[in-house]
Amino acid sequence: MQLEFQGISKHFTAVKALDKVSMIIRPGEVHAICGENGAGKSTLLNIVTGNVEADEGNILIDGNPVHFFSPREAFSSGIAIVYQHLSLVESLSIAENIFAANPPINRYGFLQPGIMLQKANELLKKLHLDQLDASQPVYTLNAGERQMVEIAKALATNPKIVFFDEPTASVSEKDVQVLFNIIRQLKSEGVAVVYISHRLHEILQLADTITILKDGKSQGSFSAAEMNSDKLIQAMVGREVTRLSKTSSNSQQALLELKNLSGNGFENISFTLHKGEILGMAGLIGAGRTEIAHAIFGFKTASNGSIAIMGNRTTLFNHPLQAMKAGIAYVPEDRKTEGIFPDKTVAENIYITKLAVNKYFNLKSFEHSAETSCKSLQVKTTSIEKKAGELSGGNQQKLMLGRWLHTNPDILILDEPTHGIDIGAKFEIYQLIQQLSAGGKGILLISSELSELINLCDKIMVIREGKIAGILNNDEATEEKILALAMQEHLLKHPAHE
């Protein structure tokens, strides 16, 4: 099935989100769409799925004009979407989410739960999610597992065209390769794949054709064989992006020390984070990285072990407020559900942490601090009174950083800090992380991007099945060594999948 956009335009008040965008997506092709946040990618996706109506232009399927008024109409025409921001219902089971739009029913119209569970488990097995049971509720899954369920949900419809919107933002390197194999299989079956990502190496590895959007306009469609990362970056941002150079500000002063910390999903975790150090944490989905971060910050109380702050042993935190008062800040993995308050203003999102620890506050002073924070972090907003949900992903991420820096922490836990943001914003956050490290803050960096860990971190701690599998110094760390540590037991348990 061939999909064609002809001169698609869309305005939102004074903002021109799309300006006469045209492209052709052919059967059996991987067509990548890339551009900075705000380039128009999400608007185009909303138009093709019937969530938003274009102001002008046409959509053609196999040469015939179509007009979708709802996602169901797009789905019925053979279009499936794997969303960056998940569309799952947490209270329902994995199987119920996968087959929400097309549940198996018998000839009398009754649901067949047994068949639904069987088919869902088959899909999970195809995605190498053997550890999951299709009957368990989605709220029990971590972010990476939810993303893979979102992929299973799209594949369950046997689509003719699949849109992948940042599908690897929350998954491990192993699961990225599983996804790539699935995409190649879809391509071989004649399915058209549209791949939207900020990860340029993925685009260059997968794509046949690349369309670049900038400020709502198409910069052209190119054969992937003609492109490299430098050409892509320049076309996307209209400027050269300064390459990251590795610097270290690590000192001998211990800021955070864990000894034999154990809890739900991890055990016997011991490490020291020093002043000015960037300590990376790598691992597969479900390895326990986020669970460790939650225990440090008091989201969930550890069952055993000890925590010392600046050499002073403290009781295990059972509430984030205790961790905040001890000088710890935590930027969560999922900014949509755990981070920003989209209906609150930029200012409110920044000074909300101050409200948590102060009985009394001066609104004028707080607003001035919010303005200063936005300026120093280069948060692009017309006003601090603008709703946070209206900002791009990169600016929302910087907004969350600004919120926690507002508390002047000594220890900063960053869980997937560049999740789903464009290349320009990503390098800005990298530079900010290095500046914070140079200023003496200790940073625990959790990331699924191995190149990110290698480029930024002084040491990389690899978590495997809730335990520390090894710690690599920066000068010895390679992607191969990190993966070998992360996957060793997994390979032993699942040799048939590798």
Side-chain angles (χ1 to χ4, degrees):
M1 190 164 82
Q2 179 170 292
L3 176 67
E4 183 175 357
F5 297 101
Q6 291 183 339
I8 300 293
S9 295
K10 180 63 184 178
H11 294 75
F12 294 102
T13 59
V15 178
K16 203 164 193 176
L18 290 173
D19 188 3
K20 297 188 180 343
V21 171
S22 299
M23 71 183 78
I24 299 174
I25 297 154
R26 298 175 176 86
E29 173 188 63
V30 178
H31 193 124
I33 302 176
C34 58
E36 290 192 280
N37 284 325
K41 305 185 300 295
S42 295
T43 302
L44 192 67
L45 197 61
N46 280 323
I47 288 171
V48 76
T49 53
N51 286 313
V52 171
E53 187 174 358
D55 294 331
E56 58 180 296
N58 298 300
I59 298 175
L60 284 72
I61 291 182
D62 292 336
N64 301 310
V66 295
H67 197 128
F68 301 132
F69 293 97
S70 71
R72 180 171 288 277
E73 290 183 13
F75 159 74
S76 300
S77 296
I79 295 173
I81 311 289
V82 177
Y83 289 101
Q84 173 188 355
H85 299 301
L86 306 182
S87 63
L88 306 177
V89 180
E90 292 193 354
S91 58
L92 297 181
S93 70
I94 294 172
E96 288 167 332
N97 271 279
I98 289 175
F99 292 101
N102 59 336
I105 56 175
N106 61 23
R107 59 180 178 170
Y108 302 108
F110 292 108
L111 179 68
Q112 296 179 291
I115 293 175
M116 182 171 69
L117 279 173
Q118 179 186 342
K119 288 183 175 180
N121 278 317
E122 287 171 359
L123 271 170
L124 293 177
K125 188 173 183 180
K126 186 177 180 180
L127 291 171
H128 292 198
L129 293 174
D130 307 67
Q131 77 275 20
L132 300 183
D133 188 303
S135 63
Q136 69 186 95
V138 163
Y139 68 77
T140 63
L141 310 183
N142 62 37
E145 290 167 339
R146 294 183 193 195
Q147 184 66 73
M148 297 301 280
V149 171
E150 187 79 46
I151 293 168
K153 181 179 176 181
L155 297 181
T157 66
N158 295 315
K160 300 297 181 187
I161 300 173
V162 185
F163 284 78
F164 289 90
D165 184 12
E166 297 288 351
T168 63
S170 298
V171 302
S172 70
E173 290 291 326
K174 174 195 171 284
D175 292 309
V176 168
Q177 295 308 314
V178 173
L179 172 62
F180 284 6
N181 290 335
I182 289 168
I183 288 174
R184 294 184 181 110
Q185 180 64 33
L186 291 171
K187 177 182 172 180
S188 71
E189 294 169 358
V191 175
V193 174
V194 182
Y195 197 84
I196 300 171
S197 179
H198 293 119
R199 296 184 175 183
L200 304 189
H201 66 282
E202 293 181 1
I203 287 174
L204 292 170
Q205 185 178 344
L206 278 176
D208 301 298
T209 303
I210 302 171
T211 295
I212 299 169
L213 298 181
K214 177 172 168 43
D215 298 328
K217 295 182 180 180
S218 173
Q219 305 300 299
S221 295
F222 309 90
S223 167
E226 301 172 1
M227 303 299 288
N228 58 37
S229 58
D230 290 332
K231 288 180 180 178
L232 275 176
I233 290 170
Q234 201 154 4
M236 285 165 56
V237 303
R239 65 185 189 278
E240 289 190 13
V241 176
T242 305
R243 293 290 179 181
L244 192 70
S245 59
K246 178 73 183 80
T247 57
S248 178
S249 304
N250 191 7
S251 76
Q252 294 304 309
Q253 182 181 344
L255 293 181
L256 172 69
E257 188 173 6
L258 270 61
K259 285 188 177 179
N260 300 318
L261 199 70
S262 298
N264 186 20
F266 61 93
E267 60 179 314
N268 296 327
I269 302 297
S270 299
F271 66 82
T272 302
L273 175 66
H274 299 91
K275 183 177 182 178
E277 181 180 23
I278 304 175
L279 175 61
M281 193 184 289
L284 302 179
I285 288 176
R289 297 172 301 168
T290 296
E291 288 79 2
I292 294 167
H294 282 179
I296 296 171
F297 195 60
F299 274 138
K300 294 182 180 177
T301 306
S303 56
N304 289 297
S306 67
I307 295 176
I309 308 292
M310 296 185 188
N312 300 313
R313 183 169 174 173
T314 183
T315 56
L316 298 174
F317 302 128
N318 55 32
H319 194 281
L321 191 58
Q322 294 174 325
M324 289 167 62
K325 289 180 177 178
I328 302 175
Y330 174 58
V331 178
E333 177 180 11
D334 190 340
R335 63 175 172 265
K336 182 185 177 186
T337 60
E338 299 176 339
I340 67 159
F341 298 92
D343 294 329
K344 299 296 182 182
T345 67
V346 168
E348 288 169 330
N349 268 272
I350 289 177
Y351 62 63
I352 195 167
T353 48
K354 282 284 190 180
L355 293 177
V357 295
N358 285 297
K359 268 187 183 178
Y360 308 103
F361 69 97
N362 184 306
L363 182 59
K364 198 167 184 179
S365 172
F366 276 21
E367 288 178 342
H368 176 72
S369 297
E371 285 181 345
T372 302
S373 182
C374 286
K375 188 175 180 180
S376 65
L377 295 178
Q378 299 179 48
V379 177
K380 294 174 184 174
T381 178
T382 53
S383 165
I384 62 168
E385 297 305 316
K386 186 174 184 176
K387 295 290 177 65
E390 297 175 12
L391 301 183
S392 69
N395 285 302
Q396 289 179 0
Q397 199 72 24
K398 286 189 280 187
L399 185 64
M400 286 204 301
L401 280 166
R403 169 194 299 168
W404 288 108
L405 293 179
H406 208 58
T407 66
N408 193 28
D410 298 301
I411 299 157
L412 192 57
I413 303 172
L414 304 178
D415 198 348
E416 302 287 359
T418 62
H419 177 167
I421 63 174
D422 64 61
I423 190 73
K426 184 175 287 191
F427 274 91
E428 288 176 4
I429 288 176
Y430 289 167
Q431 290 169 339
L432 176 61
I433 289 171
Q434 288 189 329
Q435 289 168 14
L436 294 170
S437 168
K441 297 192 186 300
I443 297 173
L444 182 61
L445 175 61
I446 302 171
S447 178
S448 297
E449 289 197 49
L450 301 187
S451 59
E452 185 168 274
L453 293 171
I454 291 169
N455 284 327
L456 283 171
C457 298
D458 298 292
K459 293 178 182 177
I460 300 169
M461 176 170 54
V462 184
I463 306 298
R464 184 180 67 229
E465 299 196 349
K467 299 177 182 177
I468 297 177
I471 298 178
L472 300 170
N473 291 320
N474 177 269
D475 56 3
E476 63 178 333
T478 64
E479 293 192 13
E480 291 77 13
K481 286 182 179 179
I482 295 170
L483 282 173
L485 287 170
M487 296 175 64
Q488 185 177 343
E489 288 185 18
H490 185 89
L491 286 168
L492 293 172
K493 290 185 178 183
H494 306 288
H497 293 330
E498 309 302 325

